[in-house]
């Protein structure tokens, strides 16, 4: 799981694993955009990540145990999947998004998912993490009434476009 952290401080260890902006944005796009392939991540980046930076961050995230990379055969695209460690970042992303809503300028179309996560709170986050475990880890789908969290997030986003 990569090189050892500079210190035993949990905050430092977390920041070293996923603390740079590009790593967080790659995880965001896999988590909330269900972008699983290099080209999807490159083309879908609102922030315009360069291909060499994306390749580096994907490699770092795999080495840190936050993503897995499917062993694709010749001529096949490799899919990236979240690990349990990265799925457990849902509350962190929800809190980061809520902080951004309150303290930074945002656009309506890009703030709706953060608003939905903030309004849903820990119960919604747990439901979303269960869905991500189904998508990325192959766990059985959770029982639910109505649309999934992923569907609600996508619907809220597309309604604002």
């Amino acid at each position: 799981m990569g090189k050892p952290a500079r210190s035993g401080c949990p905050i430092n260890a977390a920041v070293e694993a996923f603390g740079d902006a590009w790593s967080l944005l790659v995880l965001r796009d896999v988590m909330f955009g269900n972008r699983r392939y290099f080209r999807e991540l490159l083309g879908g980046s609102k922030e315009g990540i360069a291909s060499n930076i994306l390749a580096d961050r994907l490699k770092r995230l795999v080495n840190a145990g936050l993503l897995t990379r499917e062993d694709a055969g010749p001529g096949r695209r490799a899919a990236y999947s979240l690990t349990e460690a990265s799925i457990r970042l849902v509350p962190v992303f929800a809190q980061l998004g809520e902080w951004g809503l309150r303290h930074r300028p945002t656009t309506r179309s890009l703030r709706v998912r953060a608003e939905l996560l903030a309004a849903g709170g820990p119960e919604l986050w747990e439901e979303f993490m269960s869905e991500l475990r189904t998508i990325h880890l192959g766990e059985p789908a959770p029982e639910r009434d109505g649309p999934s969290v992923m569907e609600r997030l996508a619907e809220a986003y597309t309604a604002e476009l």
Side-chain angles (χ1 to χ4, degrees):
M1 287 234 255
K3 63 184 178 180
R6 285 186 288 244
S7 78
C9 170
I11 293 171
N12 174 69
V15 168
E16 285 189 29
F18 60 80
D20 72 279
W22 288 120
S23 293
L24 286 171
L25 295 176
V26 169
L27 288 171
R28 175 205 63 189
D29 288 349
V30 175
M31 187 177 291
F32 296 102
N34 200 29
R35 296 186 188 114
R36 310 275 304 272
Y37 299 94
F38 184 89
R39 291 276 171 227
E40 289 176 342
L41 289 160
L42 187 64
S45 171
K46 295 271 187 219
E47 294 79 16
I49 191 169
S51 61
N52 62 323
I53 301 292
L54 176 58
D56 177 70
R57 290 323 184 274
L58 289 167
K59 186 182 290 186
R60 284 187 194 187
L61 291 166
V62 168
N63 288 339
L66 295 169
L67 289 177
T68 59
R69 184 179 186 274
E70 157 189 273
D71 189 18
R76 296 197 45 213
R77 304 180 309 157
Y80 291 89
S81 294
L82 299 171
T83 64
E84 179 62 26
S86 56
I87 289 170
R88 292 215 169 241
L89 289 171
V90 166
V92 174
F93 276 100
Q95 292 292 318
L96 279 171
E98 188 170 9
W99 185 90
L101 289 169
R102 291 174 187 254
H103 301 290
R104 311 309 294 166
T106 60
T107 60
R108 180 74 197 138
S109 63
L110 295 177
R111 67 185 282 131
V112 294
R113 291 183 288 199
E115 290 171 340
L116 189 86
L117 287 168
E123 187 176 316
L124 183 74
W125 307 343
E126 286 295 331
E127 187 180 341
F128 186 47
M129 287 189 288
S130 292
E131 290 174 17
L132 290 171
R133 288 182 188 104
T134 299
I135 294 166
H136 293 271
L137 304 178
E139 291 189 8
E143 298 267 337
R144 66 172 149 41
D145 294 325
S148 69
V149 176
M150 185 76 81
E151 290 166 340
R152 287 181 270 170
L153 290 167
E155 182 180 309
Y157 176 69
T158 55
E160 290 299 324
L161 293 180

